[in-house]
Coordinates of all heavy atoms in Angstrom, one line a residue:
M1 N 0.9 -1.2 0.1 CA 0.0 -0.1 0.0 C 0.9 1.2 0.0 O 1.9 1.3 0.7 CB -0.9 0.0 1.2 CG -1.8 1.2 1.4 SD -2.9 1.6 0.0 CE -4.0 0.1 0.0
M2 N 0.5 2.3 -0.8 CA 1.3 3.4 -0.9 C 1.0 4.2 0.4 O 0.0 4.2 1.0 CB 0.4 4.3 -2.0 CG 1.2 5.6 -2.4 SD 0.3 6.3 -3.7 CE 0.9 5.6 -5.1
T3 N 2.2 4.9 0.7 CA 2.0 5.8 2.0 C 1.5 7.2 1.7 O 1.5 7.5 0.5 CB 3.5 5.9 2.7 OG1 4.3 6.8 1.7 CG2 4.3 4.7 2.9
C4 N 1.1 8.0 2.7 CA 0.6 9.2 2.4 C 1.7 10.2 1.8 O 1.4 11.1 1.0 CB 0.2 9.9 3.7 SG -1.4 9.1 4.4
K5 N 3.0 10.0 2.2 CA 4.1 10.7 1.6 C 4.2 10.5 0.1 O 4.3 11.4 -0.6 CB 5.3 10.3 2.4 CG 6.5 11.3 2.0 CD 7.7 10.9 2.8 CE 8.8 12.0 2.4 NZ 10.1 11.6 3.2
Q6 N 4.0 9.1 -0.3 CA 4.1 8.8 -1.6 C 2.9 9.4 -2.4 O 3.0 9.9 -3.5 CB 4.3 7.3 -1.9 CG 5.5 6.7 -1.4 CD 5.5 5.2 -1.2 OE1 4.4 4.7 -1.0 NE2 6.4 4.5 -1.6
A7 N 1.8 9.3 -1.7 CA 0.5 9.7 -2.4 C 0.5 11.3 -2.7 O 0.1 11.7 -3.8 CB -0.8 9.3 -1.6
S8 N 1.0 12.0 -1.6 CA 1.0 13.4 -1.8 C 2.0 13.8 -2.9 O 1.6 14.8 -3.6 CB 1.4 14.1 -0.4 OG 2.5 13.7 0.0
K9 N 3.1 13.2 -2.9 CA 4.1 13.4 -3.9 C 3.4 13.3 -5.4 O 3.7 14.0 -6.2 CB 5.3 12.6 -3.8 CG 6.5 12.9 -4.7 CD 7.7 12.0 -4.3 CE 8.8 12.3 -5.3 NZ 9.8 11.3 -5.2
L10 N 2.8 12.1 -5.6 CA 2.1 11.8 -6.9 C 1.1 12.8 -7.1 O 0.9 13.3 -8.4 CB 1.5 10.5 -6.8 CG 2.4 9.2 -7.2 CD1 1.6 8.0 -7.2 CD2 3.1 9.4 -8.4
I11 N 0.3 13.3 -6.2 CA -0.7 14.3 -6.3 C -0.1 15.5 -6.9 O -0.6 16.2 -7.8 CB -1.5 14.5 -5.0 CG1 -2.4 13.3 -4.6 CG2 -2.4 15.8 -5.2 CD1 -2.9 13.4 -3.2
S12 N 1.0 16.0 -6.2 CA 1.7 17.2 -6.7 C 2.2 17.0 -8.1 O 2.1 18.0 -9.0 CB 2.9 17.4 -5.8 OG 2.4 17.7 -4.5
Q13 N 2.8 15.8 -8.5 CA 3.3 15.6 -9.7 C 2.2 15.6 -10.7 O 2.6 16.0 -11.9 CB 4.2 14.2 -9.7 CG 5.4 14.4 -8.9 CD 6.1 13.0 -8.9 OE1 5.6 12.0 -9.3 NE2 7.4 13.0 -8.6
S14 N 1.0 15.1 -10.4 CA 0.0 15.0 -11.3 C -0.4 16.3 -12.0 O -1.2 16.4 -13.1 CB -1.3 14.2 -10.8 OG -1.9 15.2 -9.8
L15 N -0.2 17.4 -11.2 CA -0.4 18.8 -11.6 C 0.6 19.2 -12.8 O 0.3 19.9 -13.6 CB -0.3 19.9 -10.7 CG -1.2 19.7 -9.4 CD1 -0.9 20.7 -8.4 CD2 -2.7 19.8 -9.9
D16 N 1.7 18.6 -12.9 CA 2.8 18.9 -13.8 C 3.0 17.9 -14.9 O 3.5 18.3 -16.0 CB 4.1 19.0 -13.1 CG 4.0 20.2 -12.0 OD1 3.5 21.1 -12.2 OD2 4.6 19.9 -11.0
R17 N 2.6 16.8 -14.6 CA 2.8 15.6 -15.7 C 1.6 14.6 -15.6 O 1.1 14.4 -14.6 CB 4.1 15.0 -15.6 CG 4.3 14.2 -14.3 CD 5.5 13.4 -14.3 NE 5.8 12.5 -13.1 CZ 5.2 11.3 -12.9 NH1 4.5 10.8 -13.8 NH2 5.4 10.7 -11.7
P18 N 1.4 14.0 -16.7 CA 0.3 12.9 -16.7 C 0.9 11.7 -16.0 O 2.1 11.3 -16.1 CB 0.1 12.6 -18.0 CG 1.0 13.2 -19.0 CD 1.7 14.3 -18.1
L19 N 0.1 11.1 -15.0 CA 0.7 10.0 -14.2 C 0.6 8.7 -15.1 O -0.3 8.6 -16.0 CB -0.2 9.8 -13.0 CG -0.1 10.9 -11.8 CD1 -1.0 10.6 -10.7 CD2 1.4 11.1 -11.5
S20 N 1.4 7.8 -14.8 CA 1.4 6.5 -15.5 C 0.2 5.8 -15.1 O -0.5 6.0 -14.1 CB 2.6 5.6 -15.3 OG 2.5 5.1 -14.0
W21 N -0.5 4.7 -15.9 CA -1.5 4.0 -15.4 C -1.4 3.3 -14.0 O -2.3 3.4 -13.3 CB -1.8 2.9 -16.5 CG -3.1 2.2 -16.3 CD1 -4.3 2.6 -16.7 CD2 -3.3 1.0 -15.6 NE1 -5.2 1.7 -16.3 CE2 -4.6 0.7 -15.6 CE3 -2.4 0.0 -14.8 CZ2 -5.2 -0.4 -14.9 CZ3 -3.0 -1.0 -14.3 CH2 -4.4 -1.3 -14.3
S22 N -0.2 2.8 -13.8 CA 0.0 2.1 -12.5 C 0.0 3.1 -11.4 O -0.5 2.9 -10.2 CB 1.3 1.2 -12.4 OG 2.4 1.9 -12.4
E23 N 0.7 4.3 -11.6 CA 0.7 5.3 -10.5 C -0.7 5.7 -10.3 O -1.1 6.0 -9.1 CB 1.5 6.6 -11.0 CG 3.0 6.4 -11.1 CD 3.7 7.5 -11.8 OE1 3.2 8.1 -12.6 OE2 4.9 7.7 -11.4
L24 N -1.6 6.0 -11.2 CA -2.9 6.4 -11.2 C -3.8 5.5 -10.4 O -4.5 5.8 -9.5 CB -3.4 6.7 -12.5 CG -4.7 7.6 -12.6 CD1 -4.2 9.1 -12.3 CD2 -5.1 7.6 -14.2
M25 N -3.5 4.1 -10.6 CA -4.4 3.1 -9.9 C -3.9 3.0 -8.4 O -4.9 3.0 -7.6 CB -4.1 1.7 -10.5 CG -4.7 1.7 -11.9 SD -6.5 1.8 -11.8 CE -6.6 3.2 -13.0
R26 N -2.7 3.1 -8.2 CA -2.2 3.0 -6.9 C -2.6 4.3 -6.0 O -3.1 4.2 -4.9 CB -0.6 2.9 -6.9 CG -0.1 1.4 -7.1 CD 1.3 1.3 -6.9 NE 2.0 2.3 -7.8 CZ 3.2 2.9 -7.3 NH1 3.6 2.7 -6.3 NH2 3.8 3.8 -8.1
L27 N -2.6 5.4 -6.8 CA -3.0 6.6 -6.1 C -4.6 6.5 -5.8 O -5.0 6.9 -4.8 CB -2.7 7.9 -7.1 CG -3.1 9.3 -6.5 CD1 -2.4 9.5 -5.1 CD2 -2.7 10.3 -7.4
K28 N -5.4 6.1 -6.8 CA -6.8 6.1 -6.6 C -7.2 5.1 -5.5 O -8.1 5.5 -4.7 CB -7.5 5.6 -7.9 CG -7.7 6.6 -8.9 CD -8.5 6.2 -10.1 CE -8.8 7.5 -10.9 NZ -9.5 7.1 -12.2
L29 N -6.4 4.1 -5.4 CA -6.7 3.1 -4.2 C -6.4 3.8 -3.0 O -7.2 3.6 -2.0 CB -5.8 1.9 -4.5 CG -6.1 0.6 -3.9 CD1 -7.6 0.2 -4.5 CD2 -5.0 -0.4 -4.1
H30 N -5.3 4.5 -2.9 CA -5.0 5.2 -1.7 C -6.2 6.3 -1.3 O -6.4 6.3 -0.1 CB -3.6 5.9 -1.7 CG -3.2 6.5 -0.5 ND1 -2.5 5.8 0.5 CD2 -3.3 7.8 0.0 CE1 -2.3 6.7 1.5 NE2 -2.8 7.8 1.2
L31 N -6.5 7.0 -2.4 CA -7.5 8.1 -2.1 C -8.9 7.5 -1.6 O -9.6 8.3 -0.9 CB -7.6 8.9 -3.3 CG -6.5 9.7 -3.7 CD1 -6.7 10.5 -5.1 CD2 -6.1 10.8 -2.7
M32 N -9.2 6.2 -2.0 CA -10.4 5.7 -1.5 C -10.4 5.4 -0.1 O -11.4 5.5 0.6 CB -10.6 4.3 -2.3 CG -11.3 4.6 -3.7 SD -11.8 3.0 -4.4 CE -10.4 2.1 -4.6
I33 N -9.2 5.1 0.6 CA -9.2 4.8 1.9 C -8.6 6.0 2.9 O -8.5 5.9 4.1 CB -8.3 3.6 2.2 CG1 -6.9 3.7 1.7 CG2 -9.0 2.3 1.5 CD1 -6.0 2.8 2.3
C34 N -8.2 7.1 2.2 CA -7.4 8.1 3.0 C -8.2 9.4 2.8 O -8.0 10.0 1.7 CB -5.9 8.2 2.6 SG -5.0 9.3 3.6
N35 N -8.7 9.9 3.8 CA -9.5 11.2 3.8 C -8.4 12.4 3.6 O -8.7 13.3 2.9 CB -10.2 11.5 5.0 CG -11.6 10.7 4.9 OD1 -12.1 10.4 3.8 ND2 -12.2 10.2 6.0
A36 N -7.3 12.1 4.4 CA -6.4 13.2 4.4 C -5.8 13.6 2.9 O -5.8 14.7 2.6 CB -5.2 12.9 5.5
C37 N -5.5 12.5 2.4 CA -5.0 12.7 1.0 C -6.0 13.2 0.0 O -5.6 14.1 -0.9 CB -4.2 11.4 0.5 SG -2.7 11.1 1.3
S38 N -7.1 12.7 0.1 CA -8.3 13.2 -0.7 C -8.5 14.8 -0.6 O -8.7 15.4 -1.4 CB -9.6 12.5 -0.3 OG -9.6 11.2 -0.5
R39 N -8.5 15.2 0.8 CA -8.5 16.6 1.1 C -7.3 17.4 0.5 O -7.5 18.5 -0.1 CB -8.6 16.8 2.6 CG -10.0 17.0 3.2 CD -10.0 17.8 4.5 NE -9.0 17.2 5.4 CZ -9.2 16.1 6.3 NH1 -10.4 15.5 6.1 NH2 -8.4 15.7 7.0
F40 N -6.2 16.9 0.8 CA -5.0 17.4 0.0 C -5.1 17.7 -1.4 O -4.8 18.7 -1.9 CB -3.6 16.7 0.4 CG -2.5 17.1 -0.3 CD1 -1.9 18.3 0.1 CD2 -1.8 16.4 -1.3 CE1 -0.8 18.8 -0.5 CE2 -0.7 16.8 -1.8 CZ 0.0 18.1 -1.4
K41 N -5.6 16.6 -2.2 CA -5.8 16.7 -3.5 C -6.8 18.0 -3.9 O -6.6 18.6 -4.8 CB -6.2 15.4 -4.0 CG -6.4 15.3 -5.6 CD -6.8 13.9 -6.0 CE -6.7 13.7 -7.6 NZ -7.9 14.1 -8.2
K42 N -7.9 17.9 -3.2 CA -8.9 18.9 -3.5 C -8.2 20.3 -3.2 O -8.6 21.2 -4.0 CB -10.1 18.7 -2.5 CG -11.3 18.1 -3.2 CD -12.5 18.0 -2.1 CE -13.2 16.7 -2.3 NZ -14.0 16.4 -1.4
Q43 N -7.6 20.5 -2.1 CA -7.1 21.8 -1.8 C -6.1 22.2 -2.8 O -5.9 23.4 -3.2 CB -6.5 21.7 -0.3 CG -7.6 21.8 0.8 CD -7.0 21.5 2.1 OE1 -5.9 21.2 2.3 NE2 -7.8 21.6 3.1
L44 N -5.2 21.2 -3.3 CA -4.3 21.6 -4.3 C -4.9 22.1 -5.6 O -4.3 23.1 -6.1 CB -3.4 20.4 -4.5 CG -1.9 20.7 -4.9 CD1 -1.2 21.5 -3.9 CD2 -1.1 19.3 -5.1
N45 N -6.0 21.2 -6.0 CA -6.6 21.7 -7.0 C -7.3 23.1 -6.9 O -7.2 24.0 -7.8 CB -7.8 20.7 -7.4 CG -7.2 19.5 -8.1 OD1 -6.1 19.5 -8.7 ND2 -8.0 18.5 -8.0
L46 N -7.8 23.5 -5.8 CA -8.5 24.8 -5.5 C -7.4 25.8 -5.6 O -7.6 26.9 -6.2 CB -9.0 24.8 -4.2 CG -10.5 24.1 -4.0 CD1 -11.0 24.2 -2.6 CD2 -11.5 24.8 -4.9
L47 N -6.3 25.7 -5.0 CA -5.2 26.5 -5.0 C -4.6 26.7 -6.3 O -4.4 28.0 -6.8 CB -4.0 26.0 -4.2 CG -2.8 26.9 -3.9 CD1 -3.3 28.0 -2.9 CD2 -1.7 26.0 -3.1
R48 N -4.6 25.8 -7.2 CA -4.2 25.9 -8.6 C -5.0 26.8 -9.3 O -4.6 27.8 -10.1 CB -4.0 24.5 -9.3 CG -3.4 24.5 -10.6 CD -3.3 23.1 -11.1 NE -2.9 23.1 -12.4 CZ -1.7 23.0 -12.8 NH1 -0.6 23.2 -11.9 NH2 -1.3 23.0 -14.0
V49 N -6.5 26.6 -9.1 CA -7.4 27.4 -9.9 C -7.3 28.9 -9.4 O -7.4 29.7 -10.2 CB -8.9 26.8 -9.6 CG1 -9.8 27.8 -10.1 CG2 -9.0 25.5 -10.3
A50 N -7.2 29.0 -8.1 CA -7.1 30.3 -7.4 C -5.9 31.1 -8.0 O -6.0 32.2 -8.4 CB -7.0 30.2 -6.0
L51 N -4.8 30.3 -8.1 CA -3.5 31.1 -8.7 C -3.7 31.4 -10.0 O -3.3 32.6 -10.5 CB -2.3 30.1 -8.5 CG -1.8 30.1 -7.1 CD1 -0.7 28.9 -7.0 CD2 -1.3 31.3 -6.6
H52 N -4.3 30.5 -10.8 CA -4.6 30.8 -12.3 C -5.5 32.0 -12.4 O -5.2 33.0 -13.1 CB -5.2 29.6 -12.9 CG -5.6 29.9 -14.3 ND1 -4.6 29.8 -15.4 CD2 -6.8 30.1 -15.0 CE1 -5.2 30.1 -16.5 NE2 -6.5 30.4 -16.3
N53 N -6.6 32.1 -11.5 CA -7.4 33.3 -11.6 C -6.8 34.5 -11.3 O -7.0 35.6 -11.9 CB -8.7 33.1 -10.7 CG -9.5 32.0 -11.2 OD1 -9.6 31.7 -12.4 ND2 -10.5 31.5 -10.4
I54 N -5.9 34.6 -10.2 CA -5.3 35.7 -9.8 C -4.4 36.3 -10.9 O -4.4 37.5 -11.4 CB -4.4 35.4 -8.5 CG1 -5.3 35.3 -7.2 CG2 -3.4 36.6 -8.2 CD1 -4.5 34.7 -6.1
R55 N -3.7 35.3 -11.5 CA -2.7 35.6 -12.6 C -3.5 36.3 -13.9 O -3.2 37.3 -14.4 CB -2.0 34.3 -13.1 CG -1.0 34.6 -14.1 CD -0.6 33.3 -14.9 NE 0.0 33.9 -16.0 CZ 1.3 33.4 -16.6 NH1 1.7 32.5 -16.0 NH2 1.6 34.0 -17.6
T56 N -4.7 35.6 -14.2 CA -5.4 36.1 -15.2 C -6.0 37.5 -14.9 O -5.9 38.4 -15.8 CB -6.7 35.3 -15.5 OG1 -6.2 34.0 -15.6 CG2 -7.3 35.7 -16.7
N57 N -6.4 37.8 -13.6 CA -6.9 39.0 -13.2 C -5.8 40.1 -13.4 O -5.9 41.3 -13.8 CB -7.4 38.9 -11.8 CG -8.8 38.3 -11.8 OD1 -9.4 38.1 -12.8 ND2 -9.2 37.8 -10.5
I58 N -4.6 39.7 -12.7 CA -3.4 40.8 -12.8 C -3.2 41.1 -14.3 O -2.9 42.3 -14.7 CB -2.3 40.1 -12.2 CG1 -2.5 40.0 -10.7 CG2 -1.0 41.1 -12.4 CD1 -1.4 39.3 -9.9
E59 N -3.1 40.1 -15.2 CA -2.7 40.4 -16.6 C -3.9 41.2 -17.4 O -3.5 41.9 -18.2 CB -2.7 39.1 -17.3 CG -1.2 38.4 -17.1 CD -1.1 37.1 -17.7 OE1 -2.1 36.4 -18.0 OE2 0.2 36.7 -17.8
N60 N -5.2 40.9 -17.0 CA -6.2 41.6 -17.8 C -6.8 42.8 -17.1 O -7.7 43.5 -17.9 CB -7.3 40.6 -18.1 CG -6.7 39.3 -18.8 OD1 -5.7 39.5 -19.7 ND2 -7.4 38.2 -18.8
D61 N -6.8 43.0 -15.9 CA -7.5 44.1 -15.3 C -6.8 45.5 -15.4 O -5.8 45.5 -14.7 CB -7.6 43.7 -13.8 CG -8.6 44.6 -13.0 OD1 -9.0 45.7 -13.6 OD2 -9.1 44.3 -12.0
S62 N -7.2 46.2 -16.2 CA -6.8 47.6 -16.5 C -7.0 48.5 -15.2 O -6.3 49.5 -15.1 CB -7.3 48.2 -17.7 OG -8.8 48.3 -17.5
A63 N -7.9 48.1 -14.3 CA -8.0 48.9 -13.0 C -6.8 48.7 -12.2 O -6.6 49.6 -11.2 CB -9.3 48.5 -12.4
I64 N -6.0 47.7 -12.3 CA -4.8 47.4 -11.5 C -3.9 48.2 -12.2 O -3.3 47.9 -13.4 CB -4.4 45.9 -11.4 CG1 -5.6 45.1 -10.7 CG2 -3.2 45.8 -10.7 CD1 -5.4 43.7 -10.6
T65 N -3.4 49.3 -11.5 CA -2.3 50.3 -12.1 C -1.1 49.9 -11.6 O -0.2 51.0 -11.3 CB -2.8 51.7 -12.0 OG1 -3.0 51.9 -10.6 CG2 -4.2 52.0 -12.8
L66 N -0.6 48.7 -11.4 CA 0.8 48.5 -10.9 C 1.7 48.8 -12.2 O 1.4 48.7 -13.3 CB 0.9 47.1 -10.6 CG 0.4 46.5 -9.3 CD1 0.4 45.1 -9.2 CD2 1.1 47.2 -8.1
P67 N 2.8 49.2 -11.9 CA 3.9 49.4 -13.0 C 4.0 47.9 -13.6 O 3.9 46.9 -13.0 CB 5.2 49.8 -12.0 CG 4.7 50.1 -10.8 CD 3.4 49.6 -10.5
L68 N 4.3 48.0 -14.9 CA 4.4 46.6 -15.5 C 5.5 45.8 -14.8 O 5.2 44.6 -14.8 CB 4.9 47.0 -17.1 CG 3.8 47.3 -18.0 CD1 4.4 47.5 -19.3 CD2 2.8 46.1 -18.0
A69 N 6.6 46.5 -14.4 CA 7.7 45.6 -13.9 C 7.1 44.8 -12.6 O 7.4 43.7 -12.3 CB 8.8 46.5 -13.4
A70 N 6.2 45.5 -11.7 CA 5.7 45.0 -10.6 C 4.7 43.8 -11.0 O 4.8 42.7 -10.3 CB 4.9 45.9 -9.8
K71 N 3.9 44.0 -12.0 CA 3.1 42.9 -12.4 C 3.9 41.7 -12.9 O 3.5 40.6 -12.6 CB 2.2 43.4 -13.7 CG 1.0 44.2 -13.3 CD 0.2 44.3 -14.7 CE -0.9 45.4 -14.4 NZ -1.8 45.6 -15.7
A72 N 5.0 41.9 -13.7 CA 5.9 41.0 -14.1 C 6.4 40.1 -13.0 O 6.6 38.9 -12.9 CB 6.9 41.4 -15.0
R73 N 6.8 41.0 -11.9 CA 7.4 40.2 -10.8 C 6.5 39.3 -10.0 O 6.7 38.2 -9.6 CB 7.9 41.2 -9.7 CG 9.4 41.6 -9.9 CD 10.0 42.3 -8.7 NE 9.2 43.3 -8.0 CZ 9.2 44.5 -8.3 NH1 9.9 45.0 -9.4 NH2 8.4 45.4 -7.6
I74 N 5.2 39.8 -9.9 CA 4.1 39.0 -9.3 C 3.9 37.7 -10.1 O 3.9 36.5 -9.5 CB 2.8 39.7 -9.2 CG1 3.0 41.0 -8.1 CG2 1.6 38.9 -8.7 CD1 1.8 42.0 -8.0
I75 N 3.7 37.9 -11.4 CA 3.6 36.6 -12.2 C 4.7 35.6 -12.2 O 4.5 34.5 -12.0 CB 3.2 37.1 -13.7 CG1 1.8 37.8 -13.7 CG2 3.3 36.0 -14.7 CD1 1.6 38.6 -15.1
D76 N 5.9 36.3 -12.2 CA 7.1 35.4 -12.1 C 7.0 34.6 -10.7 O 7.3 33.4 -10.7 CB 8.3 36.3 -12.0 CG 8.7 36.6 -13.5 OD1 8.1 36.1 -14.4 OD2 9.7 37.4 -13.5
Q77 N 6.6 35.3 -9.7 CA 6.6 34.6 -8.4 C 5.5 33.5 -8.2 O 5.7 32.4 -7.8 CB 6.2 35.8 -7.3 CG 6.5 35.2 -5.8 CD 7.8 34.7 -5.5 OE1 8.8 35.4 -5.7 NE2 8.0 33.4 -5.0
I78 N 4.3 33.8 -9.0 CA 3.3 32.7 -9.0 C 3.8 31.6 -9.6 O 3.6 30.5 -9.3 CB 2.0 33.4 -9.6 CG1 1.5 34.4 -8.6 CG2 1.0 32.3 -9.8 CD1 0.2 35.2 -9.3
E79 N 4.4 31.8 -10.8 CA 5.0 30.7 -11.5 C 6.0 29.9 -10.8 O 6.0 28.6 -10.9 CB 5.5 31.2 -12.9 CG 4.4 31.5 -13.9 CD 4.9 32.0 -15.2 OE1 6.1 32.3 -15.4 OE2 4.1 32.2 -16.2
A80 N 6.9 30.6 -10.1 CA 7.9 29.9 -9.3 C 7.2 29.1 -8.2 O 7.7 27.8 -7.9 CB 8.9 31.0 -8.8
D81 N 6.2 29.7 -7.6 CA 5.5 28.9 -6.6 C 4.9 27.7 -7.1 O 4.9 26.6 -6.5 CB 4.5 29.8 -5.9 CG 5.0 30.9 -4.9 OD1 6.3 30.7 -4.6 OD2 4.3 31.7 -4.6
Q82 N 4.3 27.7 -8.2 CA 3.6 26.7 -8.8 C 4.6 25.5 -9.2 O 4.3 24.3 -9.0 CB 2.9 27.0 -10.2 CG 1.7 27.8 -9.8 CD 0.9 28.2 -11.2 OE1 1.5 28.4 -12.1 NE2 -0.4 28.2 -11.0
Q83 N 5.8 25.9 -9.7 CA 6.8 25.0 -10.0 C 7.4 24.2 -8.8 O 7.9 23.2 -8.9 CB 8.0 25.6 -10.9 CG 7.5 25.8 -12.4 CD 8.2 26.8 -13.2 OE1 9.3 27.2 -12.6 NE2 7.8 27.2 -14.2
S84 N 7.5 25.0 -7.7 CA 8.0 24.4 -6.5 C 7.1 23.3 -5.7 O 7.5 22.9 -4.8 CB 8.5 25.5 -5.6 OG 7.4 26.1 -5.0
Q85 N 5.8 23.3 -6.1 CA 4.9 22.6 -5.5 C 5.3 21.0 -5.8 O 5.5 20.6 -6.8 CB 3.5 22.7 -6.0 CG 2.9 24.0 -5.3 CD 1.5 24.3 -6.0 OE1 1.0 23.5 -6.7 NE2 1.1 25.4 -5.6
Ligands
LIG1 ZN1 -2.9 9.4 2.5

């Protein structure tokens, strides 16, 4: 049986790459019996959507009058955070 540590690692990786069939099956099995990892997966997905929305808003909202350099720094930071997950 997969440990929570292995499961959370796979959940994080699944945001960046497609999981193999066997990884997916082992992860699904773990998620069926583990509430903590199911919650972690949900929260990670919500966070990803939220970060995407923030990024889109910053890029598109003309009411945000940050200097372009500041906008670019914020977007860079969001991307760096996403990659470090
Ligand atoms: Zn777990």
Side-chain angles (χ1 to χ4, degrees):
M1 179 54 69
M2 182 181 277
T3 65
C4 288
K5 193 175 175 184
Q6 291 169 322
S8 59
K9 193 174 167 193
L10 275 185
I11 292 166
S12 298
Q13 288 177 348
S14 74
L15 298 176
D16 300 320
R17 66 172 177 90
L19 299 180
S20 74
W21 188 84
S22 73
E23 285 172 332
L24 207 60
M25 287 302 116
R26 284 185 302 144
L27 181 60
K28 277 191 173 167
L29 204 62
H30 183 89
L31 290 176
M32 279 195 291
I33 58 154
C34 181
N35 284 334
C37 288
S38 297
R39 265 203 308 278
F40 175 67
K41 184 172 188 279
K42 259 186 214 152
Q43 285 170 351
L44 209 59
N45 283 335
L46 285 177
L47 189 67
R48 189 176 170 85
V49 170
L51 285 173
H52 178 79
N53 288 343
I54 291 169
R55 190 199 156 132
T56 306
N57 286 344
I58 290 171
E59 282 177 338
N60 297 339
D61 191 344
S62 59
I64 297 176
T65 56
L66 287 173
L68 277 179
K71 281 191 191 181
R73 269 204 310 278
I74 292 169
I75 289 167
D76 281 352
Q77 189 59 53
I78 290 171
E79 283 176 352
D81 287 349
Q82 282 177 331
Q83 277 159 17
S84 69
Q85 279 172 13

